[in-house]
Amino acid sequence: MSQEPTAHDPLAPAPHDHRRLGRELDLFDTDPLIGAGLPYWLPDGALVRHTLEEYVREAERAAGYRHVYSPVLGKRELYEISGHWSHYSEDMFPPMKLGAEEVVLRPSLCPHHALIYRSRSHSYRELPLRIAELGGMYRSELSGVLGGLTRVRAIQLNDAHIFCTLDQAVEEAASALRLIARAYADLGLSAHRYRLSLPGEGGKYVADPELWERATALLREVLADAGVDYEEAEGEAAFYGPKIDVQIADAAGRESTLSTVQIDFHQPERFDLHYIGADGAKHRPVMVHRSVIGSVERAVAQLVEVHGGAFPVWLAPVQLVVLPVSEEQREAAERLARAAVARGLRAEVVGEGSLGARIRAARLVPYQAVIGAREAEGELTAVRLRDGRKPGVLPGDELLHRIGERAAARGTELWD
């Protein structure tokens, strides 16, 4: 997962700058006593993050992934075996001494997943084996490049590794691209471009020309089958292999990588991974790395900027705000809010201030239910959508049913 912005000044403000909106909307913040590049999440931001994480887990389960947890620390020896120490140590935090051993905050989840695969014997009948995790990792980023949620030092990564046969690798990588496309549709995001990231000059990359040629040929086949236009970029590959990067861009035109798909022959060899084939002999699996939404931090930053804080219904911290016209309708408003919460929706009653001011303050909430004397008497609500539409007066149950349907359907539509 690359964190490198590739166009424009990464610290310049965007029209919908997530750093400004994130603080205005009480999504996240930072504190110098915690440190640069280490944001904390406030309740509404934590809710968006949690909902996004559960969405990804659900999508992965439906696609045949099994979830694991692994530690954020590992012995230095682990990263020497994986190749991170020799090719990537300048981006890692220094080792910590534990007696005679040295442990390191991990910069990547793949070595841990390789060990999880290696911990049990596997038959060809089990493959492809898809292991997924939303796990923490750490990058020793220079303070001058840190910014909001897009460049951070503590990263929550949506990561997965598929252990498969060579014959299965192209289809598994293609399935990962389809999963990414579906997630982008549900989130209201769009790919700016697809990039085939290849090695460049220097010692940053594993020196194995045959490995690179095989993996690159397979990824070209994936992209051709997907029918997407792409550009090739030297010097953007992972140190162990080429990758497909799904590039996003914010409103200011700044580009960065959100999602990736990689085919890796290097780490299966380094960790001596194998499976038992139909012939009873040991065979080396291929390792497909893929990340649907990349880092949760960067994904939320992009969502804030694309939607200007007006999140899709299913992601919105508050989905319904109930507005009693006067104090006499507060009880009816509270009943509607309780019924919404009982259905699994996120609802609040706001009764202080003028009705106009409350409507303006709730402009980013997908649905507003105004309850006056006539509505309270008939268990009705005057419905307003944040896009300015007014579907009319509806029974409270019908409104909650419609909101529940839109939330369950995901996507970005507010009303049928």
Side-chain angles (χ1 to χ4, degrees):
M1 190 276 294
S2 170
Q3 287 209 96
E4 291 298 324
T6 55
H8 301 277
D9 178 1
L11 299 181
H16 281 152
D17 190 330
H18 81 277
R19 294 167 295 179
R20 175 180 57 80
L21 276 174
R23 288 170 173 82
E24 288 179 2
L25 301 176
D26 287 334
L27 301 179
F28 70 91
D29 213 329
T30 58
D31 192 289
L33 285 178
I34 297 176
L38 300 169
Y40 58 83
W41 297 80
L42 295 163
D44 279 355
L47 196 153
V48 172
R49 170 176 163 169
H50 176 79
T51 304
L52 182 60
E53 290 175 348
E54 284 305 299
Y55 165 79
V56 171
R57 288 191 182 99
E58 181 184 321
E60 288 172 336
R61 283 192 294 268
Y65 290 82
R66 304 186 70 185
H67 291 93
V68 298
Y69 289 108
S70 57
V72 298
L73 290 169
K75 288 185 180 181
R76 171 175 164 169
E77 180 185 0
L78 170 62
Y79 305 104
E80 290 173 342
I81 293 171
S82 69
H84 284 83
W85 192 256
S86 58
H87 295 280
Y88 200 75
S89 58
E90 63 185 28
D91 295 304
M92 297 170 62
F93 282 97
M96 295 172 278
K97 295 288 288 185
L98 284 179
E101 297 177 345
E102 289 186 330
V103 296
V104 181
L105 284 167
R106 67 179 175 193
S108 173
L109 279 68
C110 41
H112 290 73
H113 288 189
L115 293 183
I116 289 173
Y117 177 88
R118 196 176 73 176
S119 69
R120 304 288 187 274
S121 62
H122 300 281
S123 161
Y124 71 97
R125 294 186 179 90
E126 298 174 62
L127 305 185
L129 179 63
R130 307 179 186 99
I131 294 175
E133 181 175 2
L134 271 159
M137 67 181 196
Y138 300 83
R139 302 278 174 88
S140 181
E141 298 278 8
L142 297 176
S143 56
V145 300
L146 298 172
L149 297 178
T150 55
R151 290 291 292 268
V152 295
R153 288 171 171 158
I155 303 161
Q156 193 72 13
L157 186 68
N158 158 233
D159 206 7
H161 297 92
I162 304 161
F163 301 90
C164 61
T165 67
L166 180 59
D167 290 342
Q168 295 168 333
V170 168
E171 174 53 30
E172 289 301 313
S175 294
L177 273 186
R178 291 193 292 270
L179 193 57
I180 291 167
R182 171 62 190 275
Y184 281 31
D186 287 344
L187 292 164
L189 301 179
S190 59
H192 180 62
R193 67 185 175 106
Y194 290 82
R195 184 177 75 189
L196 178 58
S197 295
L198 303 172
E201 299 296 327
K204 176 183 175 182
Y205 303 99
V206 170
D208 191 330
E210 183 184 355
L211 174 155
W212 288 97
E213 289 171 10
R214 292 173 69 200
T216 301
L218 292 176
L219 289 180
R220 285 199 177 106
E221 184 178 343
V222 171
L223 288 163
D225 289 348
V228 297
D229 294 328
Y230 67 94
E231 300 173 14
E232 297 188 1
E234 293 187 359
E236 297 291 344
F239 73 84
Y240 49 79
K243 57 194 175 93
I244 297 171
D245 288 325
V246 183
Q247 300 296 102
I248 56 171
D250 64 17
R254 295 173 301 202
E255 185 182 297
S256 56
T257 301
L258 186 62
S259 311
T260 62
V261 179
Q262 307 167 37
I263 291 180
D264 178 10
F265 294 105
H266 172 71
Q267 291 195 62
E269 184 175 328
R270 297 282 290 188
F271 285 101
D272 192 25
L273 305 184
H274 62 265
Y275 65 91
I276 304 302
D279 57 0
K282 289 183 178 181
H283 298 267
R284 188 81 69 204
V286 178
M287 195 170 172
V288 177
H289 307 236
R290 59 103 282 224
S291 183
V292 173
I293 59 165
S295 79
V296 174
E297 291 80 10
R298 177 166 289 175
V300 172
Q302 185 71 3
L303 287 165
V304 171
E305 297 198 353
V306 166
H307 298 295
F311 295 106
V313 175
W314 61 278
L315 264 180
V318 178
Q319 296 165 320
L320 169 67
V321 64
V322 188
L323 305 170
V325 173
S326 68
E327 192 62 26
E328 284 72 25
Q329 290 88 50
R330 179 175 283 275
E331 184 178 342
E334 296 283 0
R335 281 199 303 273
L336 181 62
R338 286 195 298 271
V341 171
R343 290 175 180 244
L345 302 175
R346 300 185 286 275
E348 291 181 357
V349 175
V350 179
E352 301 298 324
S354 71
L355 181 61
R358 285 179 282 153
I359 288 172
R360 289 191 296 274
R363 67 191 181 282
L364 298 180
V365 177
Y367 306 98
Q368 300 174 3
V370 179
I371 300 180
R374 183 169 64 90
E375 288 83 14
E377 192 173 318
E379 296 293 325
L380 302 170
T381 64
V383 182
R384 303 172 64 99
L385 309 185
R386 71 175 169 213
D387 61 10
R389 285 181 288 168
K390 298 177 182 179
V393 176
L394 297 176
D397 281 348
E398 182 179 341
L399 172 62
L400 299 185
H401 177 72
R402 283 176 174 264
I403 296 173
E405 280 190 329
R406 296 317 313 159
R410 304 224 169 81
T412 59
E413 295 296 322
L414 286 177
W415 205 256
D416 292 331

